[in-house]
């Protein structure tokens, strides 16, 4: 008789069985449990080291008593606020359970089996996941100089290309592509290819040449831009992100959405976080200072790193990054080894507070001897 495993494997969709599970940053609690270390610093998931916006926390505490009510499925207030912030209409926006969810919804709404998804590589692994889920084909186009090679990506598109993902700044390298390049790229790709511009780290970018997705959307480009409250707004645990796009795209993606996809606390928290200018400014400032602190250390150690536009840095340890990762764990510091991205000696470290960076610096100096 066939085992249960065999039976399930026969019943499941083949493309789903082929999906490799997402590898998240190691949780602090797990390190405490496994290694018995109390004082653990997590610099592995590009979270905000200052914590959530205090205004968001206060607003959510005030909203707890309404937890028996279903949330507003349409996220009306949040979309209104985003619309006024962006100078767009509410129907240019869709709010999701993290921008992860919107990636999946966009794939569900548009991708047919066998169509192509063009991505840069290494880049954020969720793009591959949603493509696999829909039995689409993935074309991974190698980065050039740690940066998306938009020419090669445009070259790789064809009649079967449905989605192209531009992760900007790119995770895990932290590099960005500029407005002129993106325009040239958009002019070169097939008319029916939809470009997902993932701007999860946009608020950390201080280059003038950063593309203006709003303008591109108003010009009628086939762009779905993604933003998140998980990074600079410090609300990763609540799961809230949003898409901005032409209302016709939003309507199609919205059809794939569950009715109550964004919980009520997330909605209240995100609304308040948008108004917390102090927290935003402090978060940006902390990352700018932390980058300088970490660059200085890498320079001192003679370690190559990729200058970043985001709140994380990719650095080459020159050693097996998995071993370095394990040694750092023993010293209570969690980073992300980049082997899964095809970079076996690199680690990605999230910029933390001065003290957290110091912990990382001391630990890595110790590990590398
Ligand atoms: N895009 C990129 C490039 C990311 O790095 C992340 C978070 N790791 C996300 C999207 C997902 O963000 P969210 O928490 O909004 O799902």
């Amino acid at each position: 008789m066939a085992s249960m495993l065999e039976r399930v494997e026969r019943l499941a969709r083949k493309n789903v069985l082929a999906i490799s599970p997402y590898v998240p940053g190691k949780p602090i609690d797990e390190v405490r449990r496994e290694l018995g270390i109390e004082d653990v610093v997590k610099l592995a998931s590009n979270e905000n080291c200052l914590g959530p916006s205090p205004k968001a926390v206060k607003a959510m505490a005030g909203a707890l008593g309404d937890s028996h009510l279903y949330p507003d499925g349409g996220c009306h207030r949040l979309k209104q606020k985003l619309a006024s912030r962006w100078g767009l209409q509410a129907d240019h926006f869709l709010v999701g359970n993290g921008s992860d969810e919107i990636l999946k919804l966009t794939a569900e709404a548009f991708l047919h089996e066998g169509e192509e998804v063009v991505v840069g590589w290494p880049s954020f692994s969720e793009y591959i996941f949603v493509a696999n889920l829909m039995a689409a084909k993935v074309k991974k186009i190698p980065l050039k100089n740690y940066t998306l090679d938009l020419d090669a990506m445009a070259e790789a598109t064809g009649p079967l290309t449905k989605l192209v993902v531009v992760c900007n700044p790119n995770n895990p390298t932290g590099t960005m592509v500029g407005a002129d390049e993106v325009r040239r790229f958009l002019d070169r790709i097939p008319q029916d290819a939809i470009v997902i511009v993932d701007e999860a780290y946009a608020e950390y970018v201080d280059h003038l040449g950063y593309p203006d997705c709003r303008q591109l959307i108003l010009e009628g480009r086939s762009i779905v831009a993604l933003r998140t409250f998980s990074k600079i707004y410090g609300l990763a645990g609540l799961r809230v992100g949003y898409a901005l796009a032409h209302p016709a795209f939003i309507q199609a993606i919205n059809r794939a959405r569950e009715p109550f996809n964004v919980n009520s606390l997330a909605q209240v928290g995100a609304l308040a976080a948008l108004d917390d200018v102090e927290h935003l400014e402090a978060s940006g400032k902390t990352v700018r200072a932390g980058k300088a602190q970490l660059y200085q250390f890498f320079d001192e150690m003679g370690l190559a790193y990729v200058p970043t536009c985001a709140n994380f840095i990719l650095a080459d340890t020159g050693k097996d990054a998995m071993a370095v990762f394990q040694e750092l764990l023993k010293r209570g510091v969690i980073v992300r080894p980049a082997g899964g991205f095809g970079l076996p000696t690199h680690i990605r470290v999230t910029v933390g507070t001065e003290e957290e960076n110091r912990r990382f610096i001391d630990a890595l100096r110790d590990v590398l001897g």
Side-chain angles (χ1 to χ4, degrees):
M1 209 170 80
S3 72
M4 185 61 99
L5 183 64
E6 282 164 342
R7 194 188 313 165
V8 170
E9 287 191 349
R10 182 168 47 77
L11 296 174
R13 292 171 61 211
K14 295 295 165 269
N15 54 303
V16 170
L17 292 179
I19 292 173
S20 2
Y22 179 73
V23 185
K26 205 169 172 68
I28 291 178
D29 263 356
E30 205 173 292
V31 178
R32 287 194 179 126
R33 259 196 327 271
E34 289 175 0
L35 297 170
I37 303 168
E38 258 320 295
D39 189 11
V40 179
V41 172
K42 183 180 176 208
L43 300 173
S45 300
N46 306 337
E47 292 143 336
N48 188 329
C49 59
L50 297 186
S53 143
K55 286 197 173 145
V57 173
K58 189 158 174 242
M60 290 188 290
L64 278 171
D66 287 333
S67 298
H68 61 301
L69 299 174
Y70 280 101
D72 169 8
C75 293
H76 182 76
R77 288 178 60 206
L78 184 52
K79 285 197 291 197
Q80 285 296 340
K81 183 155 212 130
L82 289 168
S84 76
R85 278 299 161 85
W86 280 90
L88 290 167
Q89 305 299 314
D91 59 4
H92 282 104
F93 295 88
L94 179 126
V95 187
N97 187 34
S99 46
D100 279 350
E101 189 202 19
I102 307 178
L103 280 169
K104 184 161 169 249
L105 294 175
T106 307
E108 286 167 342
F110 289 105
L111 271 182
H112 294 98
E113 183 171 344
E115 287 181 334
E116 289 168 1
V117 179
V118 175
V119 299
W121 196 254
S123 192
F124 187 42
S125 64
E126 283 293 289
Y127 314 141
I128 317 270
F129 162 70
V130 301
N132 287 338
L133 191 62
M134 303 311 295
K137 293 201 181 97
V138 183
K139 279 191 167 176
K140 290 179 174 179
I141 309 305
L143 303 186
K144 197 165 146 187
N145 232 337
Y146 296 102
T147 309
L148 290 184
D149 184 351
L150 292 187
D151 284 337
M153 285 172 74
E155 206 76 43
T157 58
L160 285 178
T161 306
K162 179 59 73 65
L163 295 179
V164 186
V165 191
V166 174
C167 184
N168 199 28
N170 186 48
N171 179 5
T173 54
T175 53
M176 65 163 245
V177 285
D180 296 343
E181 254 177 291
V182 168
R183 237 172 225 292
R184 258 199 321 277
F185 167 75
L186 293 172
D187 287 340
R188 283 186 61 189
I189 61 171
Q191 203 192 348
D192 284 348
I194 302 162
V195 181
I196 297 180
V197 184
D198 185 347
E199 301 191 334
Y201 301 95
E203 294 86 356
Y204 292 109
V205 177
D206 41 24
H207 286 257
L208 291 175
Y210 190 66
D212 179 353
C213 62
R214 173 186 179 277
Q215 181 59 32
L216 295 168
I217 288 165
L218 288 175
E219 286 172 19
R221 306 280 190 162
S222 297
I223 285 182
V224 176
L226 300 180
R227 295 279 179 130
T228 181
F229 286 92
S230 297
K231 305 300 171 185
I232 206 163
Y233 294 100
L235 302 179
L238 289 168
R239 314 304 302 127
V240 52
Y242 63 96
L244 56 152
H246 187 284
F249 277 111
I250 295 293
Q251 276 169 35
I253 301 167
N254 193 45
R255 288 180 201 277
R257 185 177 65 79
E258 294 283 347
F260 303 111
N261 62 324
V262 183
N263 73 73
S264 44
L265 294 180
Q267 293 188 38
V268 168
L271 259 175
L274 279 173
D275 277 336
D276 198 341
V277 181
E278 265 177 36
H279 177 262
L280 273 178
E281 283 179 357
S283 303
K285 202 170 151 197
T286 303
V287 167
R288 279 192 295 279
K291 273 161 63 171
Q293 185 186 3
L294 292 167
Y295 288 169
Q296 194 188 349
F297 162 69
F298 292 136
D299 286 337
E300 266 169 38
M301 296 284 289
L303 298 179
Y305 59 89
V306 185
T308 186
C309 299
N311 68 335
F312 54 84
I313 305 175
L314 185 73
D316 190 350
T317 65
K319 300 241 163 82
D320 172 25
M322 202 56 205
V324 173
F325 162 75
Q326 297 291 354
E327 285 303 314
L328 288 173
L329 273 189
K330 290 184 199 158
R331 292 159 179 82
V333 178
I334 317 173
V335 298
R336 187 71 77 100
F341 292 112
L343 300 166
T345 58
H346 286 73
I347 55 170
R348 191 196 66 193
V349 58
T350 303
V351 179
T353 60
E354 188 184 352
E355 197 186 318
E356 287 171 332
N357 299 333
R358 174 58 47 206
R359 281 279 306 273
F360 163 75
I361 287 171
D362 291 345
L364 187 61
R365 190 178 275 124
D366 192 29
V367 170
L368 295 180

